[in-house]
Amino acid sequence: MSVRKQFRTALCGLALTGVVVTTAQGPAAATPVVDGAAKVSAVAAAEDAAARSMARSLADSAWRAEAGRAVAGGKEIGLKALADTSRTGAAASLVADVAAADRSVLAAKGLTASTGGLLTVTLTGAVDSRRAPLVAVAPSDDEAAAVTAYDTQGRAHALDPSRTPDVPVYVIGIDGDKAVEAGMKVLDRELAARGVATAATPAASPATTTAAAAGTGFWTSRITSVRLNDDKEPWIKGDAEIFSIVSGFGLDGKVRVDTVTHPYLNNDGTTYYPNQILVNWSQYKYNLADVVMMEDDGDTNYSALAKAIATALLTIADLGAYIPLVDPVVDAIPSSFWTDDADFVDAWYTLSRETTGTRDGAGGNGRFTFDRYWVSAL
């Protein structure tokens, strides 16, 4: 599979660009929304259900005013928390629907209930308008010609993604940072359970721990700067949720995977200077490792991803020489991850402990600058 850029637009992409909604009657009637035969992901379906429910709840003026104050100034807050803290009857009726939608999202992403609610809400458009608000979900298709939004009667409207709205528009989304943090724990735990060494694997025995790492510290590869490019699509607004899968052979000669999150890496076309450790070389047998960078597109199922990666990597044996692992990892990514808003970002082959300076990804979509960094033992 070729390495190519698969960025999606930001979480609230089209909706936050600004939209125009037409009235439901008269010559400028709203364009009817037709579901057709298009496939809808479980996450998108849950978001849509939450949007419909919230739209109906906003018919209550007291609740509408309370919700507007809570998300004023472009704040993004948890939808469950917003509904739970209100004493209005409309919010109380919304709580059960939001809880059901959150459960669906967690199940679809392979996350446990302990993760907590992932659905969020923001407010955009003419926030000071006295017109009845709409509730929308950003479409999964980056090139969608319209954004679907619901009014307080539950009716669907097609919104123009290229024009500023003249009504308040609430946007339902996913807390990407929270999802990635929980997802990395699932990846580590489930890969370890399937026999792939990860951070969740019990510590190596003294016999397999290098003297240098045990006694004085260890060498790492540190990211001093990172930049992601986007030459075709504008990065409209919102944050990406980026993580990296570092793979190589552990001290026992078996395949090892370490996950690294990049919560600061929000926008393409921007250079970041995180001074973040990417590879801890004391965990690896060879002086080489590979990196696959991915993005949580909202639909990412971490349990399925862990299973696919483990199945691919456990067939690779240490033959006494380093074998690059980028291709097996990329090939293991479920085919659904390559549709609409793909998770794959870029890949770096055969990084070594001595790698310093700038390294472009294989697809030319990402650029790391590295230095060697010694982590001293306490």
Side-chain angles (χ1 to χ4, degrees), residues 120-207:
T120 63
V121 60
T122 56
L123 179 62
T124 187
V127 297
D128 296 324
S129 171
R130 294 187 179 182
R131 297 179 60 182
L134 297 173
V135 182
V137 176
S140 60
D141 185 354
D142 294 345
E143 299 180 357
V147 175
T148 300
Y150 301 99
D151 62 25
T152 57
Q153 300 301 312
R155 296 172 297 193
H157 300 261
L159 311 179
D160 183 347
S162 65
R163 301 171 62 185
T164 303
D166 57 2
V167 297
V169 180
Y170 289 87
V171 181
I172 304 299
I174 300 293
D175 187 333
D177 287 341
K178 186 176 181 180
V180 169
E181 181 180 358
M184 294 304 97
K185 295 178 181 178
V186 170
L187 269 176
D188 288 346
R189 184 174 65 249
E190 295 202 12
L191 284 170
R194 289 175 168 84
V196 177
T198 71
T201 305
S205 67

Side-chain angles (χ1 to χ4, degrees), residues 221-226 262 264 274-278 368-370:
S221 287
R222 183 174 64 170
I223 305 167
T224 56
S225 73
V226 57
H262 308 286
Y264 53 87
N275 287 326
Q276 179 186 30
I277 291 175
L278 183 66
F368 279 132
T369 300
F370 296 102

Side-chain angles (χ1 to χ4, degrees), residues 30-345:
T31 304
V33 176
V34 180
D35 292 334
K39 294 182 179 179
V40 178
S41 72
V43 172
E47 289 177 300
D48 188 76
R52 289 175 184 263
S53 182
M54 183 172 183
R56 289 191 295 268
S57 76
L58 292 174
D60 182 314
S61 59
W63 162 236
R64 184 164 69 239
E66 186 176 324
R69 289 192 296 270
V71 295
K75 289 186 294 185
E76 180 182 54
I77 64 175
L79 185 54
K80 181 179 183 298
L82 175 63
D84 280 344
T85 55
S86 175
R87 296 184 178 181
T88 63
S93 65
L94 176 63
V95 169
D97 291 340
V98 172
D102 263 324
R103 286 195 296 271
S104 295
V105 170
L106 291 172
K109 293 181 71 61
L111 302 176
T112 64
S114 62
T115 303
L118 290 178
L119 289 171
T120 63
V121 60
T122 56
L123 179 62
T124 187
V127 297
D128 296 324
S129 171
R130 294 187 179 182
R131 297 179 60 182
L134 297 173
V135 182
V137 176
S140 60
D141 185 354
D142 294 345
E143 299 180 357
V147 175
T148 300
Y150 301 99
D151 62 25
T152 57
Q153 300 301 312
R155 296 172 297 193
H157 300 261
L159 311 179
D160 183 347
S162 65
R163 301 171 62 185
T164 303
D166 57 2
V167 297
V169 180
Y170 289 87
V171 181
I172 304 299
I174 300 293
D175 187 333
D177 287 341
K178 186 176 181 180
V180 169
E181 181 180 358
M184 294 304 97
K185 295 178 181 178
V186 170
L187 269 176
D188 288 346
R189 184 174 65 249
E190 295 202 12
L191 284 170
R194 289 175 168 84
V196 177
T198 71
T201 305
S205 67
T208 59
T209 302
T210 63
T216 60
F218 52 89
W219 282 107
T220 68
S221 287
R222 183 174 64 170
I223 305 167
T224 56
S225 73
V226 57
R227 182 183 180 91
L228 302 179
N229 300 318
D230 184 12
D231 298 327
K232 297 181 180 179
E233 297 177 354
W235 197 263
I236 301 172
K237 189 175 182 181
D239 295 340
E241 293 79 39
I242 304 291
F243 61 94
S244 291
I245 297 172
V246 180
S247 57
F249 289 89
L251 299 175
D252 58 359
K254 297 179 181 180
V255 172
R256 178 182 180 86
V257 170
D258 288 297
T259 57
V260 180
T261 61
H262 308 286
Y264 53 87
L265 220 172
N266 295 328
N267 301 306
D268 61 353
T270 301
T271 302
Y272 296 88
Y273 304 91
N275 287 326
Q276 179 186 30
I277 291 175
L278 183 66
V279 186
N280 173 355
W281 291 106
S282 72
Q283 302 289 347
Y284 291 88
K285 174 182 178 180
Y286 295 107
N287 187 26
L288 293 170
D290 299 305
V291 178
V292 174
M293 181 180 282
M294 301 181 70
E295 179 192 7
D296 184 330
D297 66 353
D299 293 334
T300 305
N301 185 310
Y302 291 97
S303 181
L305 181 60
K307 181 178 179 180
I309 292 175
T311 299
L313 294 185
L314 287 175
T315 63
I316 301 173
D318 176 18
L319 301 178
Y322 186 74
I323 301 171
L325 300 176
V326 166
D327 289 347
V329 171
V330 172
D331 289 344
I333 298 173
S335 59
S336 60
F337 283 32
W338 298 91
T339 60
D340 293 332
D341 306 319
D343 298 79
F344 178 75
V345 176

